[in-house]
Amino acid sequence: MARQRQLTGLEKAAIFLITLGPELSSLVIKQLPQEDMEKVTYQIANTTMVDPETKQLVVDEFWELHEARQFILQGGIKYAREVLERAVGPARAAEIIKKLMATSKIRPFNTIRKADPKQLVNFLYNEHPQTIALILAYLEPEQAAVVLSALPEELQADVAKRLALMERASPDTVRELEQILEQRLSSVVGQDFALVGGIKALVDVLNRVDRSTERTILESLEQEDPELADEIRKRMFVFEDIIVLDDNSIRRVLREVDMKDLALALKTASEEVANRIYRNLSKRAAEMLKEDIEYMGPTRLRDVEAAQQRIVQIIRRLDETGEIIIARGGQDAVVV
């Protein structure tokens, strides 16, 4: 009997979704990023015949990985490895753990992520800025925001820049840092190279810190690296985030917005965003806006994005002057 060809991850995903059936698989696909959604649906369309044995192997593998993740959530990688070794043997356990690591679903510092962020501030206070940035990259954004906000101002910008410019962390560096923490915290096993940090990670953090901390960091970055600061500002609030504003703030923004820009911006907006906009316009204005969009015809994506960016700039300007409030973490989350 000829040996079966090794399936790619994309092929396995397509087979698994086919096995789930159209109703369940559609719910899963909706949660995927646009690029992944296109790849998976294309693969599904090109998967015509799958034998029962292959289907079962794919489903079994999914279940094993799901169980392994649950074990990790309960007690970390060491616990998961011990449970899996007892269940399927050391070789298979190592294979499952390796697959999870390859998908970047396992991250070091699992114990730290469970810790009180205020305690982490004291723990990290005297560490090198690069070490702090590395650990922040592995924390949840809400935790990282608390830690970053509590650091001395002169340290905040340095750590923020290192986090934004971080792309990859070597396993040796992560393992060495874990070993240092072992005496006080339960460490976890290192992993292969994985993407950590980056501008998105910093934006996730800055969107949750108080406005004072955000301003301090961005002003310092502006002096040291204006291009980086500009890129971060562009990503701090995107057009789709308009749904986090209250209705009064949306109406205030709409008074400043050119209706041509608004029609362009809504061309690719989600239904939720469009409904919030229409709800805060007069009935006549909403009808006219819908007509403008309907008769607009094909539009270049870059023109739509430029219009959305102009509206975002208005929102950030009004937020800076205190005329509207963008919900965020820290003291700024409290409205009196």
Side-chain angles (χ1 to χ4, degrees):
M1 181 178 176
R3 186 177 178 182
Q4 253 190 339
R5 178 178 67 84
Q6 185 73 26
L7 295 172
T8 66
L10 191 57
E11 288 172 330
K12 290 177 182 177
I15 292 171
F16 180 72
L17 290 171
I18 290 170
T19 306
L20 286 181
E23 187 173 343
L24 286 175
S25 62
S26 65
L27 296 176
V28 175
I29 289 173
K30 284 180 183 177
Q31 306 303 315
L32 298 176
Q34 183 67 31
E35 185 180 353
D36 292 342
M37 186 186 299
E38 292 172 359
K39 288 179 180 178
V40 170
T41 51
Y42 178 81
Q43 185 63 47
I44 291 173
N46 286 276
T47 303
T48 53
M49 297 289 291
V50 183
D51 61 84
E53 183 183 357
T54 301
K55 276 187 179 181
Q56 190 60 50
L57 287 172
V58 169
V59 171
D60 289 345
E61 181 176 339
F62 169 82
W63 183 250
E64 286 177 342
L65 294 174
H66 171 73
E67 287 286 276
R69 288 193 183 103
Q70 297 309 306
F71 295 147
I72 289 167
L73 290 174
Q74 292 174 30
I77 297 177
K78 284 185 176 179
Y79 171 75
R81 192 185 298 276
E82 289 175 5
V83 173
L84 290 170
E85 285 180 351
R86 293 177 185 175
V88 297
R92 182 61 183 152
E95 187 180 341
I96 294 171
I97 294 292
K98 184 178 180 180
K99 283 180 180 177
L100 279 176
M101 288 180 175
T103 61
S104 298
K105 293 298 183 183
I106 296 177
R107 295 180 296 166
F109 311 115
N110 186 54
T111 303
I112 288 183
R113 285 195 297 279
K114 295 178 181 177
D116 183 342
K118 292 180 181 179
Q119 294 176 336
L120 292 180
V121 173
N122 296 328
F123 179 70
L124 298 174
Y125 194 84
N126 294 316
E127 294 293 336
H128 188 279
Q130 186 66 26
T131 300
I132 299 175
L134 177 60
I135 293 176
L136 291 187
Y138 284 108
L139 293 179
E140 298 300 334
E142 291 82 0
Q143 293 173 300
V146 173
V147 175
L148 188 60
S149 299
L151 293 175
E153 287 190 3
E154 63 273 13
L155 188 58
Q156 288 176 347
D158 189 9
V159 170
K161 181 180 179 183
R162 291 170 187 269
L163 176 59
L165 297 179
M166 189 182 302
E167 293 182 353
R168 294 181 183 271
S170 86
D172 291 338
T173 301
V174 176
R175 288 193 194 99
E176 183 180 350
L177 186 55
E178 286 175 343
Q179 289 170 1
I180 294 173
L181 304 180
E182 256 183 1
Q183 294 179 350
R184 289 175 284 175
L185 299 164
S186 299
S187 65
V188 293
V189 177
Q191 66 182 67
D192 293 336
F193 280 89
L195 291 172
V196 296
I199 292 176
K200 184 181 183 303
L202 178 59
V203 168
D204 284 343
V205 173
L206 291 182
N207 275 330
R208 290 167 172 81
V209 301
D210 59 88
R211 189 176 284 100
S212 175
T213 300
E214 175 200 320
R215 187 178 296 113
T216 298
I217 290 172
L218 287 176
E219 286 176 355
S220 298
L221 286 177
E222 183 71 45
Q223 295 177 3
E224 192 170 342
D225 194 333
E227 289 185 7
L228 177 62
D230 185 55
E231 182 63 26
I232 290 169
R233 281 196 175 95
K234 286 179 180 176
R235 302 194 195 183
M236 284 291 294
F237 186 99
V238 296
F239 183 71
E240 293 284 329
D241 291 334
I242 200 168
I243 59 174
V244 306
L245 300 178
D246 60 74
D247 287 343
N248 286 334
S249 295
I250 292 177
R251 286 193 286 272
R252 177 66 186 88
V253 170
L254 291 175
R255 293 209 303 269
E256 301 278 333
V257 173
D258 186 309
M259 293 305 285
K260 291 181 180 178
D261 276 347
L262 189 56
L264 267 174
L266 290 178
K267 188 79 173 172
T268 61
S270 68
E271 185 178 351
E272 184 178 11
V273 170
N275 287 339
R276 284 296 301 279
I277 297 293
Y278 295 140
R279 192 173 82 190
N280 285 286
L281 290 170
S282 67
K283 184 177 179 181
R284 176 60 183 154
E287 289 174 352
M288 291 176 62
L289 181 59
K290 290 176 183 178
E291 288 176 3
D292 288 344
I293 296 171
E294 184 179 351
Y295 293 112
M296 187 177 295
T299 309
R300 287 179 300 189
L301 180 60
R302 69 169 179 264
D303 292 337
V304 174
E305 291 175 344
Q308 291 179 346
Q309 188 58 37
R310 285 192 290 273
I311 294 173
V312 167
Q313 288 169 357
I314 291 172
I315 292 172
R316 287 193 60 79
R317 173 169 57 79
L318 293 174
D319 178 53
E320 286 292 327
T321 59
E323 294 184 62
I324 65 172
I325 296 175
I326 298 176
R328 60 186 68 212
Q331 294 180 347
D332 288 342
V334 181
V335 179
V336 294

